[in-house]
Structure formats: C-alpha cells, structure tokens
Amino acid sequence: MTSIILIVINALLFILPAYIGNSSAALFGHGKPVDGGRVWSDGKRLFGDGKTWLGLFAGVFFAFAAGTVEGFLLQNTGFEIGGIEKYAVLGFLLGAGAMVGDLAGSFLKRRLSFERGQKAPLWDQLNFVLGALVFAGLVFIPSWPELLVILIATPGIHLLINWIGHELKCKNVPW
Ligand code: CTP
Ligand code: MG
C-alpha cells in the first residue's frame, strides 16, 4: 500500500470513535438540555435545546465503546497504536472531547445569534473534531499529514452521515 493510503486509513481509524460519539449524541439525544434552559447575559440560551444530557452521555459512552472494540479488532494487525486499554482511554477522550467541542460550538453559535439547528457551515462539522483532537492529545497526537486528512475529510463525512440519518428518519426506521 502506498503511504498516502496508509495515512488516510490511520487517520480515519484514529478519529472514528469521535464520529461514532457524535452520531450517537444525535441518535439518542433528547430531553433535558445541558444548560437547563438558562440564558447568557445577552439574553440568548447558553447552549440551546440541541445539547442534552442524554446526548452528552450517549456520545461519551459510544465513543468509549467504539474505541475499546477498535482496539480489540486491531490487535496484531499492524495498524494498532497500542493495547486495548490505550484504545479504551482514547475512545473515552475522543468522545468527551467531541462533546465538549460540540458544546463550545453551540455556545459560540448562540453568542453570534444563530438559532438552534441553524446551519453554520464548516463550524458545525469541525467543532466536535477539534475538541476530540485536543482531549485525545493527552495520550496520542497524530502526525501532521494525518491531522490534515482528518480536518479535510471530516466535513464531507459528517454531512454524509447526517444525510444518511435524515434519509433513515424519512423511512421511519427507528435506529
Ligand atoms: N444532540 C443532543 N445532545 C447533544 C448533541 C446533540 O441531544 N449533546 C441531538 C439534538 O437533538 C440535536 C441533534 O442531536 O438537535 C443534532 O446535533 P447538532 O447538530 O449538534 O445540534 P443542533 O440542533 O444543530 O444545535 P446547534 O445549533 O446548537 O448546533
Ligand atoms: Mg446542527
């Protein structure tokens, strides 16, 4: 395999738990908002109704689960960057970072008077990944080419996942 393909594979394998966490938050999130309905000094919501406790916990949990499973599957494949424990920790950090980045993204959107759910191109797709990279950086920092792949590929992949989710909802598929 050429090194470019290897870089792309390694980059996507690394960030995968963050994608899964983010999708899980959207799939399972509803109910009590993280900000409890509170408003900031500008009279707008802190985060808004799109950031719920259930979404937050689902995001962290499924990213952690995904990281652990990935660590297990990658054992002795040559693609692994550590043992299962490392992947479990990475999954947790990627999930927690994704959720914090997503919250920070919504906080900024509210400050700039974007309504909940209003599109903020690139920002909507990158906030969770930036948070994930910062948190995961505590235990693993991807190479520059890998980081570049993650940042370039994420908006497209994120839009694709959103589109699939939307299509599925149209067909009333419960998951
Ligand atoms: N979601 C959630 N809890 C989270 C993150 C997401 O419940 N911590 C759910 C919400 O139902 C949200 C949906 O996933 O509407 C899509 O997430 P996102 O696009 O991040 O939120 P938006 O509704 O677009 O809100 P915002 O404008 O704040 O980004
Ligand atoms: Mg959105």
Side-chain angles (χ1 to χ4, degrees), residues 25-30 34 47 49-56 99 102-103 106 109-110 114-118 124:
L27 265 177
F28 299 109
H30 65 86
V34 174
F47 305 120
D49 283 331
K51 306 294 119 157
T52 67
W53 284 113
L54 208 61
L56 205 86
M99 292 304 105
D102 187 44
L103 272 182
S106 291
K109 278 174 81 176
R110 299 300 89 81
F114 280 63
E115 298 297 332
R116 174 250 171 118
Q118 195 181 334
D124 278 334

Side-chain angles (χ1 to χ4, degrees), residues 13-78:
L13 280 176
F14 168 73
I15 202 69
L16 183 65
Y19 291 167
I20 291 180
N22 200 249
S23 308
S24 303
L27 265 177
F28 299 109
H30 65 86
K32 226 172 165 255
V34 174
D35 65 11
R38 278 187 288 272
V39 294
W40 190 246
S41 52
D42 54 11
K44 311 236 180 249
R45 288 282 294 276
L46 210 52
F47 305 120
D49 283 331
K51 306 294 119 157
T52 67
W53 284 113
L54 208 61
L56 205 86
F57 288 127
V60 177
F61 174 76
F62 283 102
F64 164 72
T68 308
V69 170
E70 198 183 319
F72 179 76
L73 294 176
L74 289 181
Q75 267 182 311
N76 306 317
T77 60

Side-chain angles (χ1 to χ4, degrees), residues 1-10 79 146:
M1 256 185 291
T2 63
S3 59
I4 280 256
I5 296 178
L6 275 178
I7 289 168
V8 172
I9 291 175
N10 283 327
F79 284 102
E146 285 167 357

